[in-house]
Amino acid sequence: MPQLRPYVAAVVRPIPVTTRDERIAALDDAGHNPFYIPATMVSIDLLSDSGTGALSQQQQAWAALADERYAFAESFTRFDHAVREIVPYPYVFPVHQGRAAERVLCGSLLSRGQISVSNTHFDTTSANIALLGCYSVDLPCPEAVDLDSDHPFKGNIDLDGLNTLLRGPDGPRVGQILITMTNNGMGGQPVSMSNLDAVSQIARDHGIPLILDAARMAENAWLVRRREAGYEDWTPRDIARRAFEFADGCVASLKKDGLGHAGGFLAVRDESLAQQCEATITATEGHRTYGGMAGHSLEVVAQGLREAFDPHYLADRETDAAYLAEQIHAAGVDTVRPAGMHAVYLNASRVLPHLQPHHFPAHALACALYREGGIRAAEMGSLYLGGLDEHNNLVTPAPFELVRLALPRRVYDHSHLEYIGEILVDIAKNPERVTGYQIVEAPRILRHFKCVTAPLDQHGA
Ligand SMILES: Cc1ncc(COP(=O)(O)O)c(C=O)c1O
């Protein structure tokens, strides 16, 4: 049976239609950093799928019924029930967004000098770990480095690498194992249940807490159901619950699979860890029953979590990502395979083979998408992950030069996705028109959010 989109637009927002000259000026004004382009100048905004989705009528209706009292308000109770339908831990705390959960939980689990190991830490997670004086080690599975392979679970952690690290000289310094599902830093690829099972065994053997970064828990569950033998008849909710059972705690942004514009939570099994987290949350986020969220936001994500686990919604989202990947392949552009759910990642090195990593090809492609089509995307290459010297020259390139086209939930229809394909056809026809970039200014931490860059044709190679 063909896929039927299980919702229609009931309210719409106009998007700007701009000229190429206007976009060139906007890019210049933004220091050639797409994060600084005013949204009023962006036609298709694929910078992030976080907090950018459309709300349902039910979410808005619940928001209107919010109870904004300070402690143990009805909105907290409804939020708490919605989370507990999925997460089997006794202690659940709302926080204002995912990175607050990371700061609180990592701050309680890790001591200065310790190591956090992950399939891949998200950028804010490793920033929070660095701020604690600790270190992040990423161990993606070997299949993840073959961008063209259709291996179904390229989000997995490398179990052999993990065992080697734990048995080696740095083993005693490992304070947590953190599994990001789906693995946003590695092409949005899912983590299998068998990988989670194995890593939980290793974590238990070494007495190290296993934490899930569950920002995309519903999408990971859906891809498990679609790709992992034995789970085809499970509901996405039961798969997610089983995934949480493997771990000791979790952090989650609710701006993704909570279908909210704000919000997050952390949850743990251990009572004394919960007490430590609660003290930090009370001091920095708010009372443990709102943690920086307004009552109406608690209601929105409580309802959002229920909608995000609906198999019809998840099937539609999977179809959108696959449809976008098809448009891109038809333009002759390679993507990280297989398509995940929240984003499609372009392989910029192949689109712009004339640009070497020190010319930041992924950044150049992201800027070209904006200049040619008003499309805003996120660079995930050497600008984001590369090592720089003190003059901002690239000394350690990122492993891949990717551009992430993130799909806001329930926002764009197939005509928008076709438009993206058409703009890419134009860029891919004459790739040498796209020039490389240099970094003019860059902060030391989370550089991509704030750096200023310049095209090489303006400032010389
Ligand atoms: C995997 C992952 N973890 C954590 C976060 C941080 O969540 P938030 O933006 O709610 O702080 C994000 C945000 O994009 C994410 O993708």
Side-chain angles (χ1 to χ4, degrees):
M1 181 161 156
Q3 183 66 43
L4 175 66
R5 172 151 287 179
Y7 53 86
V8 293
V11 177
V12 295
R13 185 178 65 218
I15 56 175
V17 179
T18 55
T19 65
R20 190 169 188 272
D21 284 347
E22 287 169 338
R23 295 193 294 269
I24 288 173
L27 201 52
D28 261 339
D29 290 348
H32 289 262
N33 182 340
F35 279 97
Y36 273 78
I37 301 171
T40 49
M41 288 299 295
V42 177
S43 301
I44 308 272
D45 208 335
L46 309 182
L47 191 60
S48 178
D49 64 318
S50 177
T52 53
L55 299 187
S56 67
Q57 289 178 322
Q58 288 80 354
Q59 284 178 291
Q60 290 183 318
W62 277 112
L65 294 173
D67 175 0
E68 302 287 358
R69 282 175 289 177
Y70 193 87
F72 290 98
E74 288 171 55
S75 297
F76 166 71
T77 308
R78 284 192 280 269
F79 167 90
D80 195 56
H81 284 165
V83 173
R84 286 176 196 283
E85 281 172 19
I86 308 151
V87 179
Y89 310 139
Y91 305 99
V92 174
F93 302 99
V95 291
H96 80 277
Q97 64 181 88
R99 66 200 68 186
E102 294 157 12
R103 177 177 54 77
V104 173
L105 188 56
C106 296
S108 302
L109 276 175
L110 297 176
S111 325
R112 178 170 283 279
Q114 278 195 306
I115 296 171
S116 170
V117 196
S118 177
N119 51 346
T120 309
H121 295 86
F122 182 65
D123 57 10
T124 57
T125 321
S126 38
N128 274 305
I129 289 166
L131 289 170
L132 292 166
C134 298
Y135 302 91
S136 308
V137 174
D138 289 340
L139 293 174
C141 65
E143 293 83 2
V145 299
D146 180 357
L147 303 187
D148 300 321
S149 113
D150 277 321
H151 186 281
F153 289 105
K154 287 157 86 175
N156 285 349
I157 193 168
D158 175 2
L159 296 169
D160 291 340
L162 179 61
N163 273 320
T164 307
L165 174 70
L166 292 174
R167 291 190 194 125
D170 284 333
R173 288 170 59 213
V174 174
Q176 68 176 22
I177 301 173
L178 187 134
I179 299 293
T180 310
M181 58 176 214
T182 58
N183 191 346
N184 189 6
M186 270 286 166
Q189 300 292 322
V191 179
S192 71
M193 300 299 270
S194 62
N195 190 254
L196 276 179
D197 190 0
V199 78
S200 83
Q201 187 62 53
I202 295 171
R204 246 175 301 151
D205 290 349
H206 290 265
I208 299 169
L210 174 61
I211 305 299
L212 302 184
D213 176 343
R216 295 181 182 81
M217 55 189 132
E219 293 178 0
N220 200 80
W222 180 253
L223 292 173
V224 164
R225 171 164 139 156
R226 301 273 290 135
R227 299 181 186 175
E228 189 163 354
Y231 289 94
E232 12 335 62
D233 299 327
W234 286 49
T235 65
R237 183 184 300 278
D238 285 345
I239 294 171
R241 213 179 156 78
R242 182 77 192 102
F244 285 114
E245 279 167 3
F246 286 124
D248 303 296
C250 69
V251 289
S253 169
L254 287 170
K255 298 172 70 174
K256 289 87 174 165
D257 284 350
L259 298 179
H261 296 151
F265 69 91
L266 71 85
V268 293
R269 283 187 199 283
D270 182 76
E271 187 181 358
S272 72
L273 178 60
Q275 281 168 356
Q276 238 180 302
C277 292
E278 181 169 344
T280 313
I281 288 170
T282 310
T284 62
E285 290 282 299
H287 186 263
R288 54 106 54 246
T289 61
Y290 75 86
M293 288 177 77
H296 58 265
S297 296
L298 289 167
E299 298 283 7
V300 163
V301 294
Q303 174 62 22
L305 273 176
R306 298 203 167 103
E307 293 175 14
F309 279 93
D310 171 12
H312 300 297
Y313 157 78
L314 287 165
D316 179 62
R317 189 147 168 82
E318 185 191 11
T319 305
D320 271 359
Y323 190 72
L324 176 58
E326 249 174 60
Q327 306 307 305
I328 296 167
H329 296 155
V333 171
D334 287 337
T335 60
V336 177
R337 300 178 70 100
M341 300 255 306
H342 82 288
V344 178
Y345 292 66
L346 310 180
N347 187 340
S349 320
R350 297 236 181 104
V351 190
L352 307 175
H354 59 294
L355 298 182
Q356 298 309 303
H358 65 281
H359 292 152
F360 302 106
H363 181 60
L365 181 57
C367 290
L369 277 166
Y370 178 70
R371 195 172 48 244
E372 304 308 326
I375 301 162
R376 174 153 65 174
E379 195 264 5
M380 289 204 164
S382 291
L383 189 72
Y384 167 54
L385 290 170
L388 303 183
D389 66 16
E390 67 278 17
H391 305 296
N392 292 324
N393 295 312
L394 185 71
V395 283
T396 329
F400 306 109
E401 299 295 338
L402 305 179
V403 175
R404 187 186 73 175
L405 306 182
L407 287 166
R409 292 166 179 77
R410 304 188 290 204
V411 172
Y412 294 115
D413 66 27
H414 283 201
S415 73
H416 297 114
L417 306 184
E418 284 157 16
Y419 171 83
I420 297 162
E422 284 161 23
I423 297 298
L424 272 171
V425 168
D426 273 358
I427 296 172
K429 248 194 293 186
N430 286 307
E432 55 297 328
R433 274 192 329 187
V434 178
T435 57
Y437 272 83
Q438 67 184 9
I439 297 177
V440 179
E441 273 172 49
R444 288 291 125 209
I445 203 162
L446 293 172
R447 167 199 320 149
H448 52 296
F449 284 120
K450 250 195 117 184
C451 65
V452 176
T453 71
L456 289 173
D457 58 349
Q458 283 180 14
H459 289 256

